Amino acid sequence: MSKHIPTPSSLNIEPTPAVSVTTPREGLPPLLSTPAQIADAAATLAAGSGFLALDTERASGFTYSQRAQLIQLRRNGAGSFLIDPTRCADPATDIAPLAAVINPLPWLLHAADQDLPCLRQLGLTPHQLADTLVAGRLLGYQKCNLGHLTEEVLGLHLNKSHGAENWSRRPLPESWLNYAALDVEYLIELWDALYAEALDRGRDEWIRQECEFERCKPDPAPKQDPWRSTSRIHILKNRREMEIVRRLWISRDELASQKDIAPGRLLPDRLIIALSEQKPTSEAEFKRVKGTQRTRHRSRWLDVINAALAVSEKDLPAFRPHAGRNIPHQSQWKRLNPAAAKNLAQCRAVTDEIAQQLAIDAQDLVAGEALRALSWSLTEQTSPPSVTESLRSSQVRPWQISQIAVPLSDALHLPL
């Protein structure tokens, strides 16, 4: 239930049961994959009107690649379409007629940041973007996944039972395709209702700025030393163990990429840590590590471990995962820079109070990294001349600056 609307129980009114929706209104659309089918779909969508609702399905947790396994589209006056880009002989060429039609259209997605990267891989990029997740969060709804929002706002209960399936499976079962089609079936109606509320509450510009920021945001840059993100790496005790993790992670990633298998399915993080701690050097020792009984590619992992054990001490990686960063991890601030830690506490106190008043999440009001950059920079010789300039340099949006700049300036005793 949203924070700004009284719950039915508080009004002594029995909630109206949501209407269960199991299939699209016009029936399940056929699965398209040939150039002719995609070109026909593009022509039909071009004749529609208003927003183009889109969604994708990926095989996260099953495949190494994050490519789109299925694309769902819907537009008023055109209906719904399901496209299987994995069956295209040449996806970039076969999808090109669709891109020519839909790229200039206004797009509507839910959690666009999850779908835009794989759509860009196919040459699909929006000229204008709206996002029902962004709208829901900035209007203060507590549960903003598509199922909850659709039920709360439209009174419709969608079948959401296939979100974690292996969408690289072929053929795709009809029940999965129904689920996928329903993801765009009522997205336009949901947006219309949310946007009407945003207009009424004066938050439409907030949503516009956030959606535009999302549309223009580049894909994340590759992490430096991504192996340091291995789960539970913090329990390791020395640089030798870190080197084993590093080499196992890199070898696993190379194999996962070759086989298009999610890395954790080849060698889970917990086993990387266990192998790094116990350092088996033979098949017999490897088998004694708990959880390795069904592990495949044992000789590969053993070769990696033995190679790591042979590395000279001077060539081992740095033990601390945050070494070399301009701004240390905030867990170290009280020890390394108490003044910055105090600044950050003040900033958070201010923004938490404003977020509570607006009935939105503090992270939606301003990203934590922007507050950390401001707090740390104030302790350096080249500190920013004003709060506003610091926030802008961290890509804080104008609507956010208008809410937090003055209170932060007052709390930190800095120029606005």
Side-chain angles (χ1 to χ4, degrees), residues 3-65:
K3 298 178 181 178
H4 58 277
I5 300 176
T7 62
S9 59
S10 69
L11 297 175
N12 296 317
I13 299 174
E14 286 295 323
T16 303
V19 177
S20 182
V21 179
T22 57
T23 57
R25 285 166 285 190
E26 295 96 15
L28 181 63
L31 190 58
L32 313 178
S33 60
T34 69
Q37 290 172 335
I38 294 172
D40 287 346
T44 304
L45 288 167
S49 62
F51 276 106
L52 174 72
L54 290 95
D55 188 33
T56 67
E57 303 299 338
R58 299 172 306 284
S60 300
F62 293 93
T63 62
Y64 182 86
S65 69

Side-chain angles (χ1 to χ4, degrees), residues 234-274:
H234 64 279
I235 71 171
L236 299 184
K237 299 178 176 64
N238 57 61
R239 295 168 63 202
R240 181 70 60 186
E241 292 175 350
M242 299 291 280
E243 174 66 0
I244 298 175
V245 169
R246 187 184 74 84
R247 287 177 175 259
L248 284 173
W249 191 99
I250 292 173
S251 180
R252 179 187 69 172
D253 195 68
E254 291 172 349
L255 185 61
S257 177
Q258 293 169 11
K259 294 181 173 291
D260 196 21
I261 297 175
R265 291 183 171 269
L266 291 174
L267 189 67
D269 279 9
R270 59 181 174 80
L271 286 186
I272 288 183
I273 298 300

Side-chain angles (χ1 to χ4, degrees), residues 3 20 88 120 122 132 156 161 167 175 179 189 208 221 227 233 248 271 294 311 314 348 375-376 396:
K3 298 178 181 178
S20 182
C88 296
R120 289 191 189 106
L122 295 169
T132 48
L156 300 174
S161 59
W167 287 90
S175 61
Y179 161 91
E189 290 89 338
R208 188 198 67 78
W227 58 272
I233 195 173
L248 284 173
L271 286 186
R294 296 184 179 181
V311 173
K314 66 180 179 61
R348 283 179 170 165
S375 300
W376 187 271
V396 178

